[in-house]
Amino acid sequence: MLLQGCALTTHFAYTNTTLARTENKAPQASFEIKRRTRQYGDVLVLLALSGGGSRAAYFSARTMLALERVPGPQGATLNVLNEVDLISAVSGGSLAAAYYAASFDAGTPGIPPGRRKWDERTVTDLMSRNYIARWIGNWFWPLNIAKFWLTAFDRTDIMAQTFADNFFDSTRTGVDLRIRDLNPARPNLVLNATIGSRSYREDDPARAKLFGTVFTFTHEDFAA
């Protein structure tokens, strides 16, 4: 069975292709930033969170928490995070950004059952956990073992499952959240990525994507 599994995995192997030099401009996606009800509605505030693994996730989260209590004039405290219109994040910073977009402030009335909270204690605990150990543990679930050897399910999917189990699921049912479950009171969310596989739609060379190409969530990229 192990030999058969090893043979099957070669079908799902990917080979990175060096990105050729080109003068073509990177694809761009445009969208309209939704209006939000806040104190300084006439000021556009954008927040960018960089990558860097678990350190970036923790640093981004702590920075966002600090933005909730910025010293203001005459001893007042300003919640600058609540004034943000859009958060753009990549890699580790995306964990903090996406969790904020999906969570609810502690004490908010009418929080849906099982939804995760945004407060300093909860956020600090989540961003401080050892997810490598949890990721390794998820490798040994019988279903994951079968999916890894017999399908295109790989280590990235197991890590995504690990993050979903800790950040992006219902604490009551364990069901993973969907895009529709994002908190509508939160800022617009932009998660940045590049294509890491060799190419796709090789039957249509005009739409093949080289390794490192900027990936945009547009209708063109998801067209049938």
Side-chain angles (χ1 to χ4, degrees):
M1 182 64 180
L2 290 178
L3 292 177
Q4 182 183 12
C6 291
L8 287 173
T9 56
T10 59
H11 176 71
F12 304 108
Y14 295 101
T15 302
N16 294 338
T17 303
T18 302
L19 183 63
R21 293 186 177 182
T22 176
E23 298 300 326
N24 296 333
K25 295 183 179 180
Q28 298 179 351
S30 61
F31 57 91
E32 182 179 354
I33 298 178
K34 66 182 180 182
R35 294 184 177 181
R36 302 178 60 235
T37 302
R38 48 200 171 82
Q39 185 175 358
Y40 302 100
D42 57 339
V43 179
L44 179 65
V45 182
L46 309 178
L47 176 62
L49 303 175
S50 65
S54 58
R55 294 181 181 180
Y58 184 84
F59 179 79
S60 297
R62 295 298 302 184
T63 299
M64 295 170 71
L65 289 169
L67 288 175
E68 292 184 312
R69 49 180 186 274
V70 176
Q74 300 179 351
T77 300
L78 302 179
N79 188 341
V80 177
L81 184 61
N82 194 48
E83 301 297 319
V84 173
D85 294 285
L86 180 144
I87 302 176
S88 178
V90 64
S91 190
S94 298
L95 283 178
Y99 182 79
Y100 179 69
S103 61
F104 289 78
D105 293 334
T108 301
I111 298 178
R115 295 303 297 272
R116 294 186 177 272
K117 309 297 190 301
W118 176 271
D119 60 71
E120 184 167 5
R121 181 176 180 179
T122 301
V123 173
T124 301
D125 172 65
L126 286 173
M127 300 299 167
S128 303
R129 292 178 180 177
N130 184 347
Y131 290 103
I132 294 298
R134 286 173 166 79
W135 174 66
I136 294 175
N138 281 337
W139 276 81
F140 295 97
W141 282 98
L143 180 60
N144 286 347
I145 293 175
K147 290 166 65 177
F148 180 80
W149 288 109
L150 302 176
T151 71
F153 188 85
D154 60 16
R155 59 184 183 178
T156 303
D157 296 298
I158 296 177
M159 181 57 82
Q161 181 186 65
T162 302
F163 286 142
D165 292 342
N166 288 270
F167 290 94
F168 311 114
D169 67 349
S170 169
T171 58
R172 174 175 293 187
T173 64
V175 176
D176 293 346
L177 300 179
R178 298 290 186 264
I179 295 295
R180 64 174 179 267
D181 298 317
L182 292 177
N183 184 347
R186 295 301 198 204
N188 297 267
L189 178 65
V190 175
L191 301 180
N192 302 277
T194 56
I195 294 176
S197 60
R198 181 177 182 181
S199 64
Y200 66 90
R201 291 186 61 88
E202 294 186 355
D203 59 314
D204 185 359
R207 297 191 60 201
K209 304 292 184 180
L210 295 177
F211 176 78
T213 302
V214 175
F215 181 80
T216 55
F217 290 86
T218 62
H219 292 293
E220 291 76 16
D221 282 320
F222 285 93

